Amino acid sequence: MDFSAPKNGFQAIRFDGDCLKLLDQRLLPAQERWIRVETAAQAAQAIVDLVVRGAPAIGITAAYAAVLAARQRGSNLAAWQADLDLLGQARPTAVNLRWAVERMRSQAATDDGLDPDRLLGLAESIHAEDIDANRTMARLGAELIQAGSGVLTHCNTGSLATGGGGTALGVIIEAARQGRVDQVFADETRPWLQGSRLTAWELARAGVGARVIVEGAACALLASGQVQWVITGADRITANGDVANKIGTYGLAVLARHHGAKFMVVAPQSTVDPAMANGQGIEIEERDPGEIWRAAGLDVAPQGFAAWNPVFDVTPADLVDVIVTERGVHRPPFAFGQH
Ligand code: MRU
């Protein structure tokens, strides 16, 4: 399969025969440096360290890492299963990670052992399915946006976060190409600045004019009437339509409702967790307070000062106007429990 240049986006994850290459997202936009991953442990660490991030992207990374691990483990299925445990536990909130790991495990069960070529076939399918899903969602989501709209997005949901052209950002770029979007705003997304570092970089590459705002400007922006759609991705969608996504998403959904803007969530089916009834069951990742103390190499809080750093929140389904997956446009009341 050729993943080198999908029409809708670019590739930040490349399987290179004997290794996995990841575009190091911690360094963007200043540097475009690739890191080489040869083992499951290195892949798990890259996921923990946010070298690669975004729900679909970490699932795809884990799938390819399972192939590398199978080659190394030979017939030692137990050691390979331990590698998969490590990958599956690298981050807790995005269900895509465990979904991909479990698909790799099922393949080994079907094959009755480790067959690296068949595992590679599955990893490539997982990747290709995501590219296709991105394309379908971009089309479905863009159709919902009325010409002349202003949109606000949060975090990064583009090619860096997925296998293809992105989820929410894919919709925004497609809608901009169709001339439906007047203005695009990207929240900077503290503390990792996925919005200002990554989304702005992707929008510039795509030739879509946009403005970055600090988180605190979102209220004033929505109050100004310049935004008709807040559009985000998701890390997990539960059966009732509750949505876990980057911290700050919930606040944007409240703001959208208050100011009469619509709130759209765009995510592939691999982000849906039909077995989880509602968002109360979602484990929210909490990261090191050091991520809050320092920014761009500077102390922005006294070192060691107490901090709380949850990196996702849960938006209740009743604040969500529409959820777009590759299967279609879903409106309330959501019912993702029935597959
Ligand atoms: O911590 P991150 O950068 O992995 O968080 C990513 C997000 O919250 C995205 O919105 C989500 O994964 C959807 S990516 C298509």
Side-chain angles (χ1 to χ4, degrees), residues 25 47 50 52-58 91 93-94 96 130 134 137 153-163 166-169 189 192 194 197-198 232-236 244-247 249 266-268 271 285 287 311-313:
Q25 301 192 28
I47 293 170
L50 309 184
V52 57
R53 30 87 23 225
I58 61 178
R91 295 188 76 187
T93 305
N96 310 60
D130 197 55
N134 287 181
M137 292 185 291
T153 191
H154 190 59
C155 197
N156 170 265
T157 59
S159 294
L160 293 169
T162 63
T167 58
L169 198 59
T189 319
W192 272 86
Q194 288 96 329
R197 291 190 305 106
L198 308 179
T232 75
D235 286 81
R236 191 184 296 237
N245 191 50
K246 178 53 55 194
I247 190 78
T249 302
V266 187
T271 303
E285 178 183 3
R287 293 181 66 92
V311 298
F312 299 101
D313 58 24

Side-chain angles (χ1 to χ4, degrees), residues 56-258:
I58 61 178
I60 293 164
T61 299
Y64 283 126
V67 177
L68 297 172
R71 289 184 186 154
Q72 280 149 12
R73 298 305 187 184
S75 57
N76 189 343
L77 190 59
W80 183 76
Q81 295 284 15
D83 287 334
L84 265 61
D85 290 344
L86 192 66
L87 287 163
Q89 289 156 12
R91 295 188 76 187
T93 305
V95 74
N96 310 60
L97 181 59
R98 257 158 282 171
W99 168 86
V101 164
E102 292 316 315
R103 280 186 75 180
M104 299 307 279
R105 271 196 228 279
S106 308
Q107 183 69 49
T110 307
D111 296 343
D112 210 12
L114 297 178
D115 180 334
D117 290 340
R118 284 177 60 83
L119 289 168
L120 177 58
L122 177 58
E124 288 182 336
S125 297
I126 288 172
H127 194 170
E129 284 165 21
D130 197 55
I131 294 172
D132 276 354
N134 287 181
R135 202 172 286 130
T136 304
M137 292 185 291
R139 181 174 52 76
L140 294 175
E143 280 170 8
L144 302 174
I145 299 173
Q146 308 79 357
S149 293
V151 302
L152 169 64
T153 191
H154 190 59
C155 197
N156 170 265
T157 59
S159 294
L160 293 169
T162 63
T167 58
L169 198 59
V171 167
I172 292 168
I173 291 171
E174 178 60 24
R177 287 198 177 125
Q178 294 179 10
R180 295 171 186 264
V181 170
D182 250 17
Q183 306 194 76
V184 178
F185 295 92
D187 242 355
E188 69 175 351
T189 319
R190 277 277 289 151
W192 272 86
L193 303 176
Q194 288 96 329
S196 55
R197 291 190 305 106
L198 308 179
T199 298
W201 183 77
E202 288 203 41
L203 285 165
R205 276 181 74 121
V208 176
R211 279 182 278 175
V212 172
I213 60 164
V214 297
E215 244 75 321
C219 295
L221 178 66
L222 268 290
S224 75
Q226 295 181 83
V227 169
Q228 282 64 51
W229 282 96
V230 174
I231 309 178
T232 75
D235 286 81
R236 191 184 296 237
I237 299 170
T238 55
N240 70 336
D242 287 350
V243 175
N245 191 50
K246 178 53 55 194
I247 190 78
T249 302
Y250 179 16
L252 295 180
V254 173
L255 270 181
R257 183 61 54 91
H258 184 73

